[in-house]
Amino acid sequence: MKKFIPFLYLIFLLVTTTNSQSYIGHGLGNYSGIHGVILNPSAVADSPMKMDINIISVSGFAGSDYLSLDKDEVLDYIDDLELNVNGKEYSRNDNQIFANVDILGPSLMYKISPIQSLAITSRLRSFINFNNISGNLVEDFIEDFSSEETYSFGIYEFSETAHLWGEIGITYGRVLMQADQHFFKGGLSLKYLMGAGSIFSNSPELTGRYNMFDRMLSTSGTLDYGSTPGFDSDYIEIENTSSGLGGDLGFTYEYRNSETADPQINKWSSYKIKVGLSVTDIGRISYKNSEITNYNMNNSVDTDNFENKSIEEILDENYSGEGNVFTSKINLPTAFHILVDYNIKQNFYLSLNGSLSMISGTRRFANRVINTVTAMPRFETKLFSFYLPLSVRQYEVLTAGTGFRFGPLTVGSGSILSNLFSDRTKSTDVYASLKVPIYR
């Protein structure tokens, strides 16, 4: 198999074996600590923890509306790391492929006083989005054009952005109002962004036809393909880094029970209903001396010539192109979040969370989250939490997962139940966290 951007190929496999928000379910709880800050920076204030020290947390997500696999194929891949794709295909000219990995490194949340708190976070993140792409064409590039069918495609407003970056963030939150049964707090995160690199491509129009009999690929249109300096698609060698600034902003309102409305009591769990609003990942990273080539795709090519070649080699050897050096500006996956959390009784809660992308699917040089609405019943105490997230995700009807927190350890997935018990799956996610919570 040729080298078709190896890490993109790995992500494509994850799409069919392993979603877009990180730590689905865990970030919504009252004991989420520093993970709640990722979703809404106001969560840092009035926490039940005096201090929360994250050691390491990892969250992975992948999905596609092109291919769904039988659960047995998923389990086989997990067992022997070899995938025989017999999944049901939903090929269109506007298929979507998406994935991200979020690693939260050593981080600290600290309560300065009863009304204000501070957090310092370190994260490593990667995102990839293919927007409006022919699923058949992507699969054939990966599988050396072994398709047993002849097909045509017409791709319009295609864009692809793969981005790897790190973050060092500082979050400040404080209580803004305590009056009778009303409680209001806000928070702000400022992040120093360290860009490792990006690969990007786009096309306003690309049409074509693959003939299985003579293995010829005929195309017409244009394609822009490029990368940031030193970010090699074959081996992901990071030779240069860039920097930028980003931020998150959030607010939370609580309607508290009358018996605990005294502001001196300040019980975090006294609310009957809680509403949170936040905007995350505001910002972008600029890369000087990025290279992009505009290719004239009007040609018919024998796909046997593609074998064991990278995408750059395929484009350079078969299509004429004009290169350009410019400053690329890669936008972060800016998203709007809303949370409504209802205290049913004592330790039982029911929450509804929506995460919506503020980045258009056709925007160039940008990543975006997958629109998701999650309903989640949960039980939580200081030592233990258990939750059952049920999500309606863009490009997929319903996913169901579960997770638990026991002291310093958290493990969960927003899709594991639907992955295991549904006949077919289009997306999957998993996460784990190890930290040291210090309670009041």
Side-chain angles (χ1 to χ4, degrees), residues 189-342:
S189 295
L190 297 177
K191 299 186 285 190
Y192 177 70
L193 310 173
M194 297 163 286
S198 176
I199 300 171
F200 36 80
S201 57
N202 63 85
S203 174
E205 180 177 351
L206 181 63
T207 61
R209 176 180 175 84
Y210 173 67
N211 190 319
M212 62 168 288
F213 298 105
D214 57 13
R215 294 175 57 83
M216 294 293 291
L217 177 67
S218 301
T219 56
S220 62
T222 61
L223 174 70
D224 290 339
Y225 182 88
S227 64
T228 58
F231 200 66
D232 188 276
S233 66
D234 286 334
Y235 305 103
I236 313 301
E237 294 179 354
I238 302 172
E239 299 178 359
N240 299 284
T241 58
S242 190
S243 60
L245 295 176
D248 307 330
L249 177 66
F251 298 93
T252 299
Y253 166 79
E254 297 177 5
Y255 181 79
R256 297 193 163 184
N257 297 319
S258 58
E259 62 268 23
T260 56
D262 185 347
Q264 299 302 316
I265 297 178
N266 196 32
K267 290 187 177 180
W268 64 270
S269 61
S270 61
Y271 67 85
K272 190 62 180 176
I273 190 168
K274 176 170 67 175
V275 179
L277 300 174
S278 64
V279 178
T280 58
D281 290 324
I282 304 166
R284 63 188 182 184
I285 303 176
S286 297
Y287 295 89
K288 296 181 180 179
N289 299 317
S290 296
E291 296 182 358
I292 193 167
T293 303
N294 176 259
Y295 291 96
N296 182 337
M297 302 297 290
N298 298 329
N299 200 3
S300 294
V301 182
D302 186 343
T303 57
D304 288 337
N305 297 330
F306 295 175
E307 190 171 355
N308 296 320
K309 292 182 180 179
S310 69
I311 186 64
E312 292 97 330
E313 292 172 327
I314 292 173
L315 291 171
D316 289 340
E317 294 175 6
N318 298 282
Y319 306 96
S320 60
E322 181 178 350
N324 186 31
V325 177
F326 74 118
T327 298
S328 61
K329 299 178 181 180
I330 312 299
N331 287 272
L332 299 186
T334 311
F336 172 75
H337 310 272
I338 181 170
L339 168 68
V340 179
D341 192 29
Y342 180 72

Side-chain angles (χ1 to χ4, degrees), residues 13 32 77 83 108 116 125 133 135-136 151 169 174 213 233 240 273 315 372 374 392-393 395 402 405 420 435:
L13 290 181
S32 60
Y77 178 77
L83 181 63
L108 170 69
Q116 56 183 345
R125 305 174 67 187
I133 184 69
N136 277 341
Y151 62 90
R174 66 176 291 127
F213 298 105
S233 66
N240 299 284
I273 190 168
L315 291 171
T372 305
T374 301
V392 176
R393 296 175 177 172
Y395 315 119
T402 187
R405 174 188 59 87
L420 292 176
K435 60 182 182 177

Side-chain angles (χ1 to χ4, degrees), residues 18-19 21-28 35 56-61 102 376 386-389 393 401-405 409-416 428-434:
T18 331
N19 213 332
Q21 286 59 46
S22 301
Y23 309 101
I24 298 172
H26 178 46
L28 304 180
H35 291 86
I56 185 70
S57 300
V58 180
S59 176
F61 159 87
D102 188 342
M376 189 182 72
F386 177 76
Y387 35 89
L388 292 167
R393 296 175 177 172
T402 187
F404 72 89
R405 174 188 59 87
L409 177 66
T410 300
V411 177
S413 167
S415 59
I416 188 170
T428 184
D429 68 286
V430 64
Y431 59 86
S433 170
L434 180 63

